[in-house]
Amino acid sequence: MKYKLNIKRDVDVCSSRFSDLTDYMLNLPNGFRFSDEIVHIRGFDSMAELKQAAKQDVIPCSCKDCTQ
């Protein structure tokens, strides 16, 4: 099973009212995690960085939360 990025469903855009910076949070759906650690959410500085990670760093997950 391969993860396919769905920006409307999986990405939260976080902008700060104190600066012009925008952060992007990728919330992986059940059944997926990031390859380097068992986490299902990660923040990114740019949409390009997020898309690259979604393509290269997401793997299937069989942790307790994903299998329930």
Side-chain angles (χ1 to χ4, degrees), residues 16-28:
S16 172
R17 60 183 176 176
F18 301 112
S19 70
D20 293 337
L21 299 176
T22 301
D23 293 325
Y24 302 90
M25 300 298 291
L26 177 55
N27 302 292
L28 296 174

Side-chain angles (χ1 to χ4, degrees), residues 2-55:
K2 185 161 172 70
Y3 173 70
K4 182 168 172 38
L5 179 63
N6 181 325
I7 293 175
K8 286 186 178 186
R9 177 192 67 199
D10 301 336
V11 177
D12 291 327
V13 179
C14 310
S15 54
S16 172
R17 60 183 176 176
F18 301 112
S19 70
D20 293 337
L21 299 176
T22 301
D23 293 325
Y24 302 90
M25 300 298 291
L26 177 55
N27 302 292
L28 296 174
N30 283 347
F32 295 97
R33 69 176 176 89
F34 291 99
S35 60
D36 57 346
E37 54 186 320
I38 301 178
V39 294
H40 301 90
I41 185 169
R42 183 176 286 166
F44 298 92
D45 293 330
S46 70
M47 184 60 77
E49 183 183 31
L50 181 147
K51 288 179 179 180
Q52 181 179 10
K55 195 179 286 188

